[in-house]
Amino acid sequence: MQRTLAIIKPDAVQRQLVGVIISEIEMNKFAISAIRTLQLTSARAADFYQEHRGKPFYDSLVAATASGQLYALVLEKENAVDAWRQLMGPTDPAKAGPLTLRRRFAIDIQRNSVHGADSPAKAAQEIDFFFGEGA
Ligand code: IDP
Ligand code: MG
């Protein structure tokens, strides 16, 4: 079984979409092996998205990520990293298939409701970010 890191972003929590998103996770046969809710400081959000530093949307992304409670989850399934990204759909909801979470729930390309690690190595790093010693 592979593990990945998922986030239900503050925009989705604020719109009370936690239950329906977790329901989709379970219906798609992911096991939830860890879950926590927390609000990141701006500094921690900036660190989480540091690969995007310097891009035009970075400051706004960091502010949105720190704007409220989020849910971090460790999901387990065969091929979990790719399977979760497929269920989420692409970054831009306008380009996402009809059954994807982002097509169904995203407001726009930034407030796109969910996050997923993009590789097994990033998944391990992001799981440590939310569930490791220093988290
Ligand atoms: P991903 O979440 O699908 O992996 P990334 O390219 O890693 O997409 O970008 C991280 C997050 O930054 C996205 O989920 C989205 O919230 C935001 N983002 C990405 N591209 C844009 C953009 O062009 N405008 C505004 N926000 C963006
Ligand atoms: Mg990404």
Side-chain angles (χ1 to χ4, degrees):
M1 283 297 159
Q2 193 178 61
R3 299 199 304 166
T4 193
L5 187 282
I7 298 174
I8 304 174
K9 296 185 179 189
D11 75 82
V13 177
Q14 277 154 18
R15 288 178 291 134
Q16 298 186 284
L17 295 169
V18 174
V20 70
I21 291 171
I22 289 177
S23 175
E24 285 294 326
I25 287 169
E26 293 193 316
M27 290 209 297
N28 283 275
K29 306 295 180 201
F30 292 88
I32 299 170
S33 58
I35 182 167
R36 65 180 293 216
T37 182
L38 73 161
Q39 181 164 2
L40 293 179
T41 63
S42 298
R44 288 273 287 159
D47 188 25
F48 183 78
Y49 278 122
Q50 58 180 291
E51 66 178 295
H52 297 297
R53 201 179 298 264
K55 293 182 186 169
F57 59 84
Y58 179 71
D59 288 349
S60 159
L61 173 63
V62 168
T65 305
S67 69
Q69 292 290 125
L70 59 76
Y71 283 69
L73 304 94
V74 178
L75 304 182
E76 274 185 36
K77 186 177 173 167
E78 215 166 283
N79 205 20
V81 169
D82 287 345
W84 173 240
R85 288 199 66 97
Q86 275 187 28
L87 181 58
M88 288 199 303
T91 313
D92 182 354
K95 298 183 176 138
L99 299 178
T100 63
L101 297 175
R102 282 170 163 171
R103 179 58 166 270
R104 292 171 63 196
F105 302 126
I107 297 169
D108 53 35
I109 191 169
Q110 180 181 284
R111 292 170 296 174
N112 57 6
S113 302
V114 282
H115 164 86
D118 63 11
S119 69
K122 275 296 268 318
Q125 190 187 313
E126 293 181 1
I127 289 168
D128 187 62
F129 182 95
F130 283 105
F131 297 95
E133 290 282 318

